[in-house]
Amino acid sequence: MQDHVTPRRVVILGGGFAGLFAARALRHSPVAVTVVDRQAHHLFQPLLYQCSSGILSEGQIAQPLRKVLRRHHNVDCVLADATDVDVKAQLVHARRPDGGTLELPYDDLIVAVGMRQSYFGHDEFAAYAPGMKTLDDALDIRRRIYRAFEMAETAEDDDERRRWLTFALVGGGPTGVELAGQIREIAGHTLDREFRTIDAEAARVLLFEGSDEVLGAFGPALARRAARTLRSLGVELHMGTIVTDVDADGVSVRDRNGAVSRFAARTVLWTAGVEAPPIAGALARATGVEQDRAGRIPVEPDLTLAGHPEIRVTGDVMSLNRLPGLAEVAMQSGAYAGRALRHAVEGRTKRPKPFKYRDLGSAAYICRGRAVVKVGRLHLSGVLGWFVWLFIHLAFLTGFRSRLGAVLSWAVTFATSSRRERAFLSSKGGPPPGAGESR
């Protein structure tokens, strides 16, 4: 009789960059890998704003997880939302989309759940100011942007028209800067000759940031260049302001002196702040570790949890050496966790070297022919920065068809200012019923 040996069970929570790279690192290992994600696709988050602004389709930035991992014969995918971890029994509890529950046993657990949008204790803002972390968010924002121009076209008076043509963005990081630039390009180039009543180019884009600079993480020099480019596009920058209220008709902000101002805007987009999802808190309670202010989980130098060498935490949700929440950090930490586990399974007794992040730089797209790139001491902006931005994003897009589709879409947009992906469903994406807008 032939003996059957049960392979080591590895559960990976999250199919983003960290989870995907961890699964890839385990491809040839004698383990059974289960990737659990609430979505059935891997999403290229850095280009979500291009989907929301109509440059790229959702299929160009999202690929089915099963397709991406189809050649990884030891990997299975489960569509579910992890809700709890029983560290004693080594079980992950998860909820299926239909409400059913699952129990997934593990010998090793890799946590790669990423972060979600934070409203700093004001979750009621979410109904009026969507964030941009998921594909649903991007499509919702696309609806809101293009619907605003349509609503302005049939507005009954000038005040209502101005409110529809005013876009308020909260947060001056890469996502806020990229969205602000895109909306100004849509108004000034894509839609400039398509309406009969309104002047689309007159649309106002307001960007609110609590610090003194946009793109502060890129350093003072690039931050100043980015600010100059945004102002040249017509974006109104409001630095040193904190949003205190958001509703269906606009935002209220407080400046450094404590003065509160009101800005009427029918479209408010939130790009400020992130926090860990609930499963991170459940894991922290189960293992006795203390999360940081954003809910990140502190890890050992080898990305394991103190006292739990069978659990590794990767990507945005890990707290280690103040590493930023960048896609490259997620990729490298996921790959490291997968390799470390593979070496352990193969019987290599040598303790793995501590995780060391190699900073390959940061990039932010502002408008056609304008981007900022920071790679160590090398700072690029303008056209040269834009070409480097193109190369970086093409290199990391998942799948040949995604790269080819992105190149074709970018070529059309950059050459003609047209955007092919402008379809939206007008029945979704607005404020809740009774919030000042008919549904």
Side-chain angles (χ1 to χ4, degrees), residues 74-354:
N74 62 337
V75 178
D76 189 20
C77 299
V78 171
L79 180 63
D81 186 12
T83 57
D84 203 359
V85 179
D86 185 337
V87 295
K88 291 183 179 180
Q90 296 193 181
L91 283 175
V92 171
H93 298 275
R95 183 173 55 249
R96 299 169 60 202
D98 64 356
T101 59
L102 295 172
E103 289 186 349
L104 303 169
Y106 67 86
D107 298 303
D108 295 276
L109 177 64
I110 297 177
V111 181
V113 293
M115 301 288 274
R116 66 179 186 178
Q117 199 72 62
S118 172
Y119 290 86
F120 306 108
H122 292 278
D123 290 344
E124 68 274 14
F125 293 173
Y128 309 102
M132 193 161 62
K133 285 292 181 181
T134 68
L135 199 55
D136 284 343
D137 293 337
L139 296 178
D140 184 12
I141 290 174
R142 182 196 295 178
R143 283 190 290 266
R144 292 173 186 251
I145 291 173
Y146 287 103
R147 185 189 59 179
F149 290 97
E150 298 292 343
M151 295 298 290
E153 177 76 356
T154 56
E156 295 181 355
D157 55 58
D158 290 341
D159 286 341
E160 182 188 358
R161 186 173 296 112
R162 279 192 293 270
R163 288 195 297 271
W164 280 113
L165 289 178
T166 301
F167 301 82
L169 288 85
V170 184
T175 302
V177 166
E178 289 164 341
L179 266 179
Q182 288 302 299
I183 296 173
R184 279 303 308 156
E185 283 205 328
I186 289 170
H189 300 285
T190 304
L191 304 179
D192 59 338
R193 298 180 182 179
E194 295 193 4
F195 290 91
R196 301 294 179 263
T197 302
I198 64 171
D199 178 9
E201 192 171 0
R204 295 179 67 193
V205 178
L206 317 176
L207 182 60
F208 300 98
E209 165 59 32
S211 67
D212 294 330
E213 300 173 322
V214 296
L215 299 182
F218 283 69
L222 288 181
R224 286 193 296 270
R225 294 176 198 173
R228 283 199 303 268
T229 301
L230 288 171
R231 290 192 176 100
S232 70
L233 288 172
V235 177
E236 302 175 30
L237 302 182
H238 297 266
M239 301 294 100
T241 55
I242 303 297
V243 172
T244 59
D245 191 29
V246 181
D247 57 32
D249 293 314
V251 299
S252 298
V253 302
R254 184 178 64 246
D255 64 20
R256 294 188 186 91
N257 299 320
V260 176
S261 303
R262 177 72 179 175
F263 293 85
R266 295 305 298 267
T267 305
V268 183
L269 307 177
W270 193 277
T271 64
V274 292
E275 64 183 9
I279 184 60
L283 178 62
R285 289 189 295 272
T287 56
V289 301
E290 185 175 348
Q291 297 169 276
D292 68 10
R293 291 180 60 185
R296 297 180 182 90
I297 298 175
V299 296
E300 299 294 296
D302 63 355
L303 306 189
T304 61
L305 290 187
H308 292 275
E310 77 282 3
I311 301 177
R312 295 170 172 84
V313 180
T314 62
D316 294 357
V317 78
M318 75 175 182
S319 175
L320 178 68
N321 300 331
R322 298 182 179 272
L323 289 174
L326 298 175
E328 189 56 42
V329 175
M331 294 176 192
Q332 292 183 31
S333 62
Y336 171 93
R339 288 195 303 269
L341 180 52
R342 185 183 71 217
H343 294 166
V345 171
E346 292 172 354
R348 304 187 190 185
T349 57
K350 186 177 180 181
R351 186 177 179 86
K353 294 181 179 179

